Amino acid sequence: YQRRVHGGRIKRIRGLAYSAGGAGPDLTQRAVHSAKGVLLKLLPDIYISTDHTRGSASKGPRCPGYGIALIAESTSKSVYMGEEVVPEPEQLKNEGLTPEEIGTKAAHGLLEQIARGGCVDTHHQSFVILLMALGAEQVCRVAMAPLTATAQNMEELVGEHFGVTFALTKRPRGDMEPICVLQCIGCDYINVAKRSA
């Protein structure tokens, strides 16, 4: 019997701010500073590293851009993610966004995923549904935020191809969106190409 039904409390936040090509490393530092400014109101255990990669003419065209990815881990080992990417500095000029706003948007995206609740963020719901279906032939239960359209499509595809059906119950949370608890019995999929010992 496998289950993940309690999200737990957030205990740490880690992240990576990265830049490549012609985007300067100062842009990532500014994004990190603004993201930390938002997240330090939640908890003190925050570490966001930076990585700057320079482009060279011999390795192909320079593709300037930068982004920030943030990951929060809870006491029950649930993981939530928030990310913001700027592919080209020209996009910043067109949209009028500053690196500080990029960092703030990533932090707010992470906080939104945490507020939605459950043990899985909305970016990874469909992947978890697939793993539940392919897992051992026993009851598997996972709590998630309300299912996204992608997760609902994955649930239908898994039913079509593997014959696994899901039971969905909603757990109310006062005036917030209810938590969806998905439950199924896995199809015990075995990789026939794997060599046995």
Side-chain angles (χ1 to χ4, degrees):
Y1 185 71
Q2 300 172 349
R3 63 183 190 154
R4 304 264 300 158
V5 292
H6 298 291
R9 293 179 163 270
I10 301 301
K11 65 178 180 178
R12 75 177 71 126
I13 295 175
R14 299 293 181 257
L16 174 67
Y18 49 91
S19 63
D26 63 316
L27 298 176
T28 57
Q29 290 293 340
R30 289 166 57 191
V32 166
H33 184 71
S34 65
K36 278 182 141 181
V38 172
L39 296 173
L40 281 171
K41 296 173 186 171
L42 178 66
L43 76 159
D45 190 5
I46 297 170
Y47 180 74
I48 304 172
S49 60
T50 59
D51 183 23
H52 177 68
T53 306
R54 296 180 185 266
S56 68
S58 64
K59 293 182 180 176
R62 290 170 41 137
C63 299
Y66 70 96
I68 183 169
L70 303 169
I71 296 175
E73 185 183 342
S74 75
T75 53
S76 67
K77 299 197 187 306
S78 297
V79 176
Y80 306 94
M81 187 182 118
E83 182 179 30
E84 202 62 41
V85 177
V86 178
E88 297 180 16
E90 288 79 29
Q91 183 180 352
L92 285 179
K93 293 174 188 169
N94 295 340
E95 296 180 11
L97 293 174
T98 64
E100 289 80 8
E101 290 171 324
I102 297 298
T104 303
K105 281 176 71 174
H108 284 293
L110 176 65
L111 294 175
E112 181 183 331
Q113 293 296 327
I114 293 168
R116 287 177 175 237
C119 298
V120 180
D121 66 10
T122 55
H123 301 104
H124 299 100
Q125 285 179 342
S126 56
F127 182 64
V128 170
I129 288 171
L130 179 63
L131 292 178
M132 288 171 67
L134 296 177
E137 201 169 340
Q138 57 187 359
V139 177
C140 183
R141 184 185 298 169
V142 176
M144 302 182 184
L147 297 180
T148 62
T150 307
Q152 291 171 358
N153 288 342
M154 178 60 80
E155 188 180 349
E156 291 173 14
L157 286 171
V158 161
E160 278 180 35
H161 294 285
F162 299 108
V164 175
T165 56
F166 288 85
L168 182 119
T169 56
K170 294 192 176 185
R171 199 169 62 197
R173 295 191 303 159
D175 56 346
M176 297 177 74
E177 288 181 311
I179 299 264
C180 297
V181 179
L182 276 177
Q183 182 173 320
C184 75
I185 296 176
C187 69
D188 201 20
Y189 189 81
I190 296 171
N191 183 359
V192 293
K194 184 178 179 181
R195 192 181 336 187
S196 61

